[in-house]
Amino acid sequence: MAEILLFHHLQGLTEGVRALGDALRAGGHTVHAPDLFDGERPASIEEGSALTKHIGRDVLDQRADQIAADLRPDLVYAGVSWGAAIAQRLAQTRSGARAALLYEACLPVTGEWAIGPWPDGVAVQVHGMERDPFFGLEGDVDAARELVSIVGPERGELFVYPGDRHLFTDSSLPSYDAEATTLVVSRSRDLLGRLG
């Protein structure tokens, strides 16, 4: 069974993010879902972005790094939107990562905005909607295509869902898509089951 570190999106550790963690946990895995915002629940993505600027990127990175350092090294890093960027950074920079589950966001692995190369042997799944303004229409899907092509078909997968919603995996928000989220969870569990 895998040990998963799941990071929330810009609206904080909502009940919907907790429910996503519970759905992964129901597959027999251990899921940690820390609250990097110390209980704040911004009402919108814009308010969440303002909060991250107020707290500071360095502070938020330090919080995430400390949480990861307190757990065993062979983690699966997961995140939703803003949290996916944190998960991806940790998967790429912390030794021992097993996989990354990137929900509704993906950073480039080459070029100016890249963190660095993808580590050998680390599996990845990326999930997003085709017309999501932040994923499908802002370049994340292109970054995801490049990433899975680098990782290869044995360990890299991209799943693009019909629709235009962002934060569709959060059951506590109006953007929630139950059918797509069921597929996300099922495919995530498939990957986790293949990690051995």
Side-chain angles (χ1 to χ4, degrees), residues 5-193:
L5 182 52
L6 172 65
F7 292 101
H8 60 75
H9 51 70
L10 283 172
Q11 290 185 246
L13 184 58
T14 62
E15 287 306 311
V17 173
R18 290 180 192 274
L20 180 62
D22 288 343
L24 295 172
R25 192 176 289 114
H29 307 288
T30 300
V31 180
H32 307 275
D35 187 346
L36 298 183
F37 290 174
D38 287 335
E40 293 281 338
R41 299 288 176 278
S44 67
I45 291 170
E46 293 75 21
E47 288 181 28
S49 181
L51 177 62
T52 64
K53 288 175 184 163
H54 174 73
I55 296 170
R57 180 178 174 175
D58 289 345
V59 170
L60 290 163
D61 282 348
Q62 287 168 5
R63 289 178 184 176
D65 291 348
Q66 186 57 58
I67 291 160
D70 289 342
L71 300 172
R72 59 193 234 193
D74 57 336
L75 294 170
V76 173
Y77 296 97
V80 182
S81 186
W82 176 81
I86 297 171
Q88 184 172 343
R89 176 179 65 81
L90 290 169
Q92 287 188 240
T93 60
R94 288 195 79 232
S95 179
R98 297 177 75 193
L101 294 168
L102 307 178
Y103 303 126
E104 309 189 59
C106 184
L107 301 174
V109 289
T110 61
E112 180 183 356
W113 301 103
I115 299 165
W118 191 259
D120 289 341
V122 177
V124 65
Q125 259 188 12
V126 187
H127 302 262
M129 283 198 165
E130 62 185 352
R131 297 187 315 280
D132 171 352
F134 299 100
F135 180 83
L137 304 181
E138 241 188 31
D140 287 42
V141 70
D142 298 322
R145 286 188 185 110
E146 180 185 28
L147 173 56
V148 299
S149 72
I150 289 168
V151 175
E154 292 295 314
R155 299 189 74 76
E157 296 174 296
L158 167 61
F159 296 103
V160 179
Y161 303 83
D164 59 3
R165 299 179 189 181
H166 192 62
L167 305 183
F168 73 91
T169 56
D170 188 322
S171 59
S172 65
L173 298 178
S175 53
Y176 179 57
D177 185 314
E179 185 177 348
T181 300
T182 297
L183 279 173
V184 169
V185 170
S186 174
R187 289 163 169 169
S188 297
R189 285 187 190 168
D190 286 347
L191 172 65
L192 295 168

